[in-house]
Amino acid sequence: MRRGTLLLPALFLGGVFLCPDQGQAFSEWRSEDTSVSLRGFTGLDGAYSRTPEKTALYDSREDLFWNLDQRFLVTANHRESARFDLNVLQNIRTTPNPGFGIRQAGAERSGLLSWQQHTSNNSEANLSVDTAAFHYTQENIEWSIGRQPVNLATTMYFSPNDFFAPFGAQTFFRTYKPGVDSGRVEVRLGNLAQLSLVGVLGYSPESSGDADWRNRPDWSRNSLLAKFAVNRNDWEWGLLGGTVREHRITGGSLQGELFDWLGVRAEGHYASAEQDGLASGTEVSVGIEHRFENSLDLHLEQFYHGQGYGSSEALNQALVAGSLGEGYTGREYTALGVSYEFSPLLTGQALLIANWSDHSQLLSLNGVYSLSDEAEVSVTLSLPRGDAGEGNTFGSEFGLAPKSLACALRLYY
């Protein structure tokens, strides 16, 4: 590792423990028209995983992982019209297990703002700009350009309309969504309607199976979307259309409440392939939810994944052909989520996902304990169930996933 690779995390860790009571911003400057806020985040994770016994698609049966995320965040405001956001991420971690060959690429964005500082068989260190975006508001229009999170989701878990660096359904920690290279225009059409125009640059991977992206845009993978949302009788209706990479998208969303008791969310689209050899399909997610007065929160969501595989046999054919990509592999899913506040300091969550195409399930349990206003500890247990297959055969999506136990310490300052 080059000298200085650990300097940034060391400085931030030192600042946390020397100045723990500085609140949300460890430095802030204000004038009559301008304000600048500096904040930090440290996340230290450790995990143990154990893979299924009969499969040969993993390099090892047991693994220990650790991961350090160190973020430096800047927010600069000029009057009420202009804002600049910066999020620089220093990551140091163990080299991930390659698993069964699905390329787990990060957010699709230029490699120009990412620097690999160290790599070996055991660990790697990377510095990247996760967000660097300028926002300008003029009357009823807001303009945004740069590297920024783009979120078009309405549903909680599967969110098929969240095309750019979406969270997995079993991801409990969602504070920082990766940014993509994009421009966005939000136009408020009165108090109850809004038009959003989003353009996102696309990039090709450095090589097959590589998790890094090239520096220059691949114009065939660019995305351009328009979303119109209107609120009528306390229900929000949305229409979505445009192009996402090599697919033409037509879809929509809705959210509201029935009987002042039951929350309803839905989103989906039809993706029509614009190139030969690519699949078209319908993606729809529908969910209901309710939060009780005792803090018990229930979510039930059904997902139809039209571009998924209807059986394990079709999945194995794609694996052999090398056409198996990222994301969910099945065609129909159900997710049941539960959240409960055991005390003001302790919150528990549970999520059960069922893949009806291969009859596998994933149970994830998560507990978060607040140490202070700026610190928390999280423990997550992941218990998959299903046919793991034998040798190089893919039995089921979750049956092949490892059992894991993870613990995380998160500090905000």
Side-chain angles (χ1 to χ4, degrees):
M1 183 181 297
R2 291 206 311 255
R3 181 177 300 177
T5 299
L6 299 178
L7 178 60
L8 186 59
L11 287 175
F12 283 124
L13 286 171
V16 171
F17 295 109
L18 291 174
C19 309
D21 298 323
Q22 290 185 332
Q24 290 298 316
F26 63 77
S27 182
E28 193 167 5
W29 176 83
R30 290 181 179 273
S31 69
E32 183 177 347
D33 295 328
T34 305
S35 67
V36 179
S37 167
L38 306 181
R39 294 174 294 122
F41 168 81
T42 300
L44 180 61
D45 305 70
Y48 166 79
S49 71
R50 183 177 178 86
T51 60
E53 183 175 358
K54 296 181 181 180
T55 181
L57 297 177
Y58 286 93
D59 289 345
S60 60
R61 284 291 321 279
E62 296 180 332
D63 277 294
L64 289 173
F65 302 93
W66 57 263
N67 178 84
L68 173 65
D69 280 347
Q70 181 60 64
R71 293 182 183 271
F72 174 62
L73 303 108
V74 179
T75 301
N77 293 280
H78 180 67
R79 297 178 180 173
E80 295 182 355
S81 59
R83 186 180 85 251
F84 177 73
D85 295 323
L86 177 67
N87 182 341
V88 179
L89 171 62
Q90 172 72 67
N91 174 257
I92 306 172
R93 62 177 179 173
T94 52
T95 304
N97 190 324
F100 49 83
I102 297 180
R103 183 175 63 86
Q104 298 293 337
E108 185 173 331
R109 58 195 189 184
S110 173
L112 280 174
L113 298 180
S114 299
W115 301 270
Q116 186 172 73
Q117 302 154 306
H118 160 79
T119 182
S120 70
N121 292 332
N122 300 317
S123 63
E124 61 184 31
N126 298 277
L127 179 66
S128 61
V129 176
D130 212 23
T131 299
F134 177 75
H135 310 268
Y136 181 73
T137 302
Q138 184 180 27
E139 296 181 351
N140 63 330
I141 302 177
E142 180 179 350
W143 309 79
S144 302
I145 189 168
R147 178 165 292 182
Q148 58 187 317
V150 174
N151 185 10
L152 298 172
T154 301
T155 51
M156 178 71 179
Y157 296 119
F158 298 107
S159 55
N161 288 357
D162 193 8
F163 302 103
F164 311 105
F167 290 112
Q170 68 274 24
T171 302
F172 293 102
F173 181 65
R174 302 188 179 190
T175 300
Y176 301 106
K177 191 175 193 288
V180 291
D181 303 334
S182 61
R184 184 167 185 158
V185 181
E186 304 278 1
V187 183
R188 291 185 296 277
L189 306 173
N191 294 328
L192 301 177
Q194 179 169 291
L195 175 65
S196 302
L197 302 174
V198 181
V200 179
L201 294 177
Y203 299 86
S204 299
E206 285 285 0
S207 61
S208 177
D210 200 335
D212 296 321
W213 302 95
R214 295 182 179 177
N215 296 340
R216 295 183 178 180
D218 179 349
W219 303 110
S220 67
R221 293 183 61 83
N222 288 349
S223 303
L224 182 61
L225 285 167
K227 180 179 180 180
F228 174 74
V230 61
N231 191 299
R232 290 290 183 268
N233 299 320
D234 295 328
W235 283 78
E236 183 186 275
W237 303 82
L239 294 175
L240 181 71
T243 300
V244 175
R245 304 181 186 96
E246 299 96 346
H247 287 84
R248 189 163 52 253
I249 301 297
T250 305
S253 63
L254 70 88
Q255 57 181 324
E257 196 170 58
L258 289 174
F259 316 116
D260 294 325
W261 186 87
L262 185 66
V264 178
R265 297 172 182 266
E267 67 177 75
H269 65 267
Y270 177 75
S272 176
E274 295 183 324
Q275 297 180 10
D276 295 336
L278 297 177
S280 300
T282 301
E283 313 279 317
V284 178
S285 180
V286 179
I288 55 176
E289 60 192 46
H290 180 70
R291 182 178 177 86
F292 296 87
E293 292 184 1
N294 64 356
S295 81
L296 178 65
D297 203 354
L298 301 178
H299 293 260
L300 179 65
E301 198 165 299
Q302 185 70 27
F303 178 42
Y304 176 76
H305 181 33
Q307 298 188 52
Y309 302 96
S311 65
S312 298
E313 290 75 14
L315 187 60
N316 277 294
Q317 292 176 3
L319 182 65
V320 172
S323 59
L324 188 62
E326 295 180 88
Y328 300 102
T329 62
R331 188 159 291 171
E332 295 182 358
Y333 292 85
T334 299
L336 174 62
V338 182
S339 175
Y340 184 74
E341 295 178 7
F342 293 96
S343 74
L345 300 180
L346 177 62
T347 300
Q349 295 174 284
L351 176 65
L352 177 64
I353 305 175
N355 180 337
W356 298 107
S357 299
D358 58 24
H359 306 290
S360 62
Q361 302 88 38
L362 175 65
L363 175 63
S364 296
L365 305 174
N366 177 252
V368 179
Y369 185 79
S370 177
L371 301 175
S372 69
D373 289 341
E374 295 86 26
E376 65 184 22
V377 172
S378 171
V379 177
T380 303
L381 177 64
S382 180
L383 300 172
R385 181 177 179 272
D387 180 14
E390 296 187 6
N392 293 319
T393 301
F394 200 119
S396 64
E397 180 178 10
F398 298 129
L400 192 57
K403 299 179 174 68
S404 66
L405 176 65
C407 182
L409 171 65
R410 305 185 187 113
L411 307 170
Y412 307 84
Y413 45 95

